[in-house]
Structure formats: C-alpha cells, structure tokens
Amino acid sequence: MSTLGASASAPVGRFAPSPTGRMHAGNIYAALAAWLIVKSQGGSMVLRIEDLDRERSKPAFIDGVQRDFEALGLYWDRGPYFQHDRDEAYAEAFRLLEGKGLTYPCFCSRADLHAASAPHRGEKLVYAGTCRNLSDAERRERMSSGRAPAQRLRVPDARYGFTDLIQGPYEQNLAEECGDFLVRRSDGAFAYQLAVVVDDATQGVTSVTRGVDLLCSTPQQIYLQELLGLPTPEYAHVPLLVAECNRRLSKRDRDAALDELLARFGTPEGVIGHIAGITGLAPTSDPATPEELLESFSLERFRENLVDPVQILWH
C-alpha cells in the first residue's frame, strides 16, 4: 500500500469535512484548532472531502464547504481529495484484512444491533458478536433470505491506547468496549473507520485534530493501522461546543450555521475571533484572522486555557 511520507519536523494536518450542509460553529472550531496546531509547528494542511455517504453528500455542499474555508481564512496546502475517488485503495486494505481471516459477514439489521447491544460512551454501541461464529450452513441460510451482509472486523480481547494532546492518556479494551466493528456496509460502501485510516496514511497525515466525540473511535483506528502496517498520527480531541441543554451543535439543527454567524458577527474575522475567544484558542474574542491568531498561539497555552476538556457552552 502506497503512502506519502512526511518530515517528522513538519507535521501534516487535515481538514476532513463531510459535505452534508453548511459549516457551523463546532466545525469551524475544530478546523481552526487543527490549523493553528499544525501551522504553529511549521506544518501543512490537507483538505479531504469525506463523502462516503453518497446520498447525503451534495455537489452544492462540496463547493460550499470549500468556499466557507476560504472565506474564513483557513487555507490548505494540498487537495482537495475526495473519498469517492478512493474505493480501490479501500478495497485493497479490505482484501488484506480478509486475507488474514479477520473479516466476516454480518446479517444484523439496525434494529437487531440496538436490541442486542449495550450503550457505550460516545454514542457507540458494543456489538454483541451475533454473527461472529456462524457456521457456513448458517451463513448460506441467511444469504438465501436475500439480505446483503455487511463485513465486520474481528477485534482482540486487548487494550489499545494512546496519549491525546488534549485529553491525555486514553485506552480501550476493544472486545469489551467496542466489539467487532464494520469495515464495509451492507450496501457495499466502505466504512468510515477503514477509509479514514487508509486516507490519513496515503495523504501523509501525521496530526489529527477533531471533536472529543470521536475519541472512543481512535483505538479502533490504531488497531487497523497496526493490521495494515500504517503509521499512527498524533491525535488531539478538542471539546465539543454545546447548546444550553448540553446538546452538541449540529448541521441538522442548523445550530450556529456560518451564514447565521456572519449575520451576527458581521465579518469572517468576527466569527473567527468569537470562536477563538470562547474556546481558549485566543485570550480575547476580538475579530481576527487565523493568521493573526497564529502569531501568539501555542498548544501549551491552549491546554492551560481550557476550562472543560469535554464541552464548551456556545454563546
């Protein structure tokens, strides 16, 4: 599997938006933090459009998210790369896992999964292993029903951990806290966990900054990196911006969408300055460009200024 190397002294970060709507304050915060962390170390940024969900990813949103980044002054150095162009790379990785005897077909419906799974931190469900040890005859019987299977990856009863730049040490027993997870969906599309691991390696990404809601998926990605012989980036999981009811901001609910932010704060600099100020990326909420914030930004100061590493009230 081909990878693009990156100098240890020059980190490579990434913007990885899903083109399913306009950017909102939470997206902008995570992107700004990623940009500042990488650029403060003299690194570069990759733009990757994560459009695995073909039904929800629209051309207008793909164009719009790039314009949003440009308007906010969050420029990238390479890309855009599109996941819809990457199926063969994902298929190659899947074949490698399949060749190791680590994948198996799963015939469970969404209702089956919810009925048999236990809730897990971070909105995850622990897969109960329902289809893990089906006999060949049982699999043939389920195939004859016409239900196309998904493909799951067997996980070991072992702990996988890392030290996050924001959250500190974190580890997870994959068998107990995750269960065998999807690497290919029943419609044939490759799952997020597999795609993001392959893409990060191929695009030379060495620094990943994203929301803390994805912290619990990182051990799965580290396990995949180990199996595929790929490097592990450095991770930073920033707090989520939440509404007053402790609900995280979302595109679906149009929470603090960029057009509304521009109407409220007047300019892109006003939006960037307010987000930087309330999240600790900057000491004040004065209007500023990312380049202006970069002049005084340091990861150490950002960590010191975080009141809560898990959530920040949007206001």
Side-chain angles (χ1 to χ4, degrees):
M1 189 177 300
S2 63
T3 61
L4 299 176
S7 168
S9 61
V12 178
R14 43 111 155 146
F15 299 132
S18 298
T20 56
R22 292 297 302 276
M23 291 180 69
H24 61 66
N27 305 139
I28 298 167
Y29 167 44
L32 178 60
W35 191 91
L36 289 170
I37 288 171
V38 166
K39 291 297 180 178
S40 67
Q41 302 174 71
S44 59
M45 293 295 294
V46 168
L47 174 62
R48 178 168 74 231
I49 306 297
E50 296 197 335
D51 55 354
L52 282 176
D53 190 337
R54 307 293 168 83
E55 291 186 5
R56 295 180 64 206
S57 299
K58 307 299 182 184
F61 291 148
I62 292 174
D63 294 338
V65 74
Q66 294 181 70
R67 289 196 300 270
D68 288 347
F69 277 119
E70 291 170 344
L72 292 164
L74 292 169
Y75 63 82
W76 57 93
D77 303 283
R78 286 193 285 119
Y81 302 109
F82 296 89
Q83 287 187 326
H84 70 244
D85 293 330
R86 303 273 299 144
D87 275 354
E88 184 49 44
Y90 307 148
E92 181 184 350
F94 177 79
R95 288 191 293 268
L96 193 155
L97 299 172
E98 188 178 41
K100 293 175 179 285
L102 292 172
T103 63
Y104 63 88
C106 175
F107 300 89
C108 296
S109 67
R110 189 181 298 272
D112 294 335
L113 295 175
H114 280 271
S117 302
H120 178 56
R121 178 185 176 192
E123 303 178 0
K124 288 173 60 65
L125 296 172
V126 179
Y127 179 63
T130 307
C131 295
R132 183 186 241 251
N133 296 313
L134 294 178
S135 67
D136 289 343
E138 289 171 321
R139 287 175 179 166
R140 285 195 297 270
E141 180 184 354
R142 283 162 173 76
M143 288 290 289
S144 67
S145 70
R147 177 185 293 179
Q151 293 288 329
R152 289 188 180 272
L153 180 69
R154 297 177 186 271
V155 302
D157 183 6
R159 304 196 73 80
Y160 279 75
F162 67 106
T163 298
D164 190 82
L165 291 179
I166 306 297
Q167 306 297 327
Y170 178 81
E171 64 175 21
Q172 187 182 88
N173 183 296
L174 292 181
E176 295 177 0
E177 300 176 70
C178 167
D180 300 339
F181 58 90
L182 290 181
V183 286
R184 194 165 193 173
R185 300 185 332 203
S186 59
D187 62 3
F190 292 98
Y192 169 79
Q193 304 287 29
L194 180 65
V196 73
V197 162
V198 172
D199 286 343
D200 281 345
T202 303
Q203 292 153 13
V205 173
T206 62
S207 174
V208 173
T209 300
R210 55 194 181 187
V212 73
D213 55 323
L214 292 173
L215 178 67
C216 60
S217 71
T218 308
Q220 299 163 53
Q221 295 172 17
I222 292 173
Y223 174 53
L224 275 169
Q225 289 155 1
E226 177 184 283
L227 293 176
L228 296 171
L230 303 176
T232 296
E234 198 165 49
Y235 291 97
H237 288 83
V238 298
L240 297 179
L241 292 184
V242 298
E244 289 185 6
C245 58
N246 291 329
R247 174 183 53 80
R248 70 181 183 180
L249 304 185
S250 71
K251 293 178 182 177
R252 180 180 304 169
D253 297 318
R254 288 190 57 78
D255 285 310
L258 180 55
D259 48 0
E260 295 165 355
L261 294 174
L262 288 169
R264 176 181 171 187
F265 297 107
T267 64
E269 293 79 11
V271 173
I272 290 291
H274 182 77
I275 290 173
I278 68 169
T279 60
L281 288 170
T284 74
S285 293
D286 295 340
T289 65
E291 289 281 5
E292 289 168 341
L293 295 178
L294 185 60
E295 294 175 6
S296 60
F297 174 81
S298 77
L299 179 58
E300 293 74 17
R301 193 177 303 115
F302 172 45
R303 284 192 293 240
E304 292 171 358
N305 290 340
L306 276 178
V307 176
D308 187 330
V310 177
Q311 62 181 31
I312 296 171
L313 182 64
W314 171 252
H315 58 276

